[in-house]
């Protein structure tokens, strides 16, 4: 809690407290969550723990005027349905229409909308397969760098920042082709222009 207090005080602008996978082994207690939400300058919490029960607790304990943003692709639809205030899933860089559909249709209770939301969630899960290929770089938590580098080399996105020794370039040629082939299939399905 003191960590978030110090950052909020030094920024002079509202911040989002980021709870990532390292918290998964020792998730903050309900009292600690209330304390984080209560910090002056904390606008809300961004959850990347990947723990559904914890995400639901964050949403339930969220005080009025505070935000809870879900960032784990596999929990995007569950987060929307549970009442998350927003999504910030990394896969939305590759499949923005699917992420938007999860958000738009997941909030509607009618069966047709829910069916479309489930289909969009499945599409996002397909995108995460790219991260498993990228894991072959030994990049660990930097697997997303592989996907961004591949998108940049394909001319789909502009990559302003360069990472030291881009993991995409360290993949064996067959794995580079597999990432590129899957991205091309996704981009074609999503209707993105190059």
């Amino acid at each position: 809690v003191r960590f978030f207090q110090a950052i909020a005080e030094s920024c002079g602008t509202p911040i989002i407290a980021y709870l990532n996978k390292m918290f998964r082994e020792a998730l903050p207690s309900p009292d600690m969550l209330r304390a984080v939400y209560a910090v002056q300058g904390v606008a809300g919490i961004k959850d990347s723990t990947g723990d559904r029960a914890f995400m639901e607790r964050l949403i339930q304990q969220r005080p009025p005027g505070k935000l809870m943003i879900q960032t784990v692709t596999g929990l995007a639809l569950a987060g929307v349905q549970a009442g998350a205030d927003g999504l910030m899933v990394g896969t939305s860089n590759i499949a923005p229409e699917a992420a938007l559909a999860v958000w738009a249709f997941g909030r509607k209770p009618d069966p047709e909308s829910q069916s479309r939301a489930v289909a969009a969630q499945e599409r996002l899960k397909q995108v995460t397969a790219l991260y498993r290929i990228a894991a072959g770089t030994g990049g660990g938590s930097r697997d997303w760098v592989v996907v961004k580098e591949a998108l940049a080399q394909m001319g789909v996105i502009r990559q302003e920042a360069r990472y030291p020794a881009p993991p995409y370039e360290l993949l064996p040629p067959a794995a580079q082709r597999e990432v590129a082939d899957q991205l091309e299939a996704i981009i074609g399905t999503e209707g993105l222009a190059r």
Side-chain angles (χ1 to χ4, degrees), residues 51-84:
D51 185 300
R52 183 179 182 147
F54 180 71
M55 172 199 68
E56 290 170 350
R57 194 167 71 225
L58 278 171
I59 292 168
Q60 291 165 357
Q61 292 184 336
R62 172 191 57 213
K66 298 289 182 167
L67 302 171
M68 201 303 282
I69 300 167
Q70 180 50 250
T71 67
V72 176
T73 296
L75 292 176
L77 181 56
V80 170
Q81 292 170 333

Side-chain angles (χ1 to χ4, degrees), residues 66-144:
K66 298 289 182 167
L67 302 171
M68 201 303 282
I69 300 167
Q70 180 50 250
T71 67
V72 176
T73 296
L75 292 176
L77 181 56
V80 170
Q81 292 170 333
D85 297 297
L87 295 177
M88 196 181 293
V89 293
T91 50
S92 65
N93 289 319
I94 302 165
E97 289 86 357
L100 288 170
V102 166
W103 178 255
F105 296 115
R107 297 164 42 141
K108 297 178 180 178
D110 65 279
E112 183 181 336
S113 293
Q114 286 299 303
S115 176
R116 292 176 76 178
V118 168
Q121 176 68 57
E122 287 304 312
R123 187 78 182 110
L124 290 178
K125 286 182 183 178
Q126 291 173 349
V127 173
T128 62
L130 292 170
Y131 295 119
R132 285 190 287 283
I133 297 167
T137 65
S141 64
R142 290 173 30 117
D143 299 342
W144 57 270

Side-chain angles (χ1 to χ4, degrees), residues 159-180:
Q159 187 84 348
E160 299 295 330
R162 303 304 291 179
Y163 305 96
Y168 178 74
E169 294 171 6
L170 298 179
L171 283 175
Q176 284 185 11
R177 186 71 246 151
E178 188 176 358
V179 168

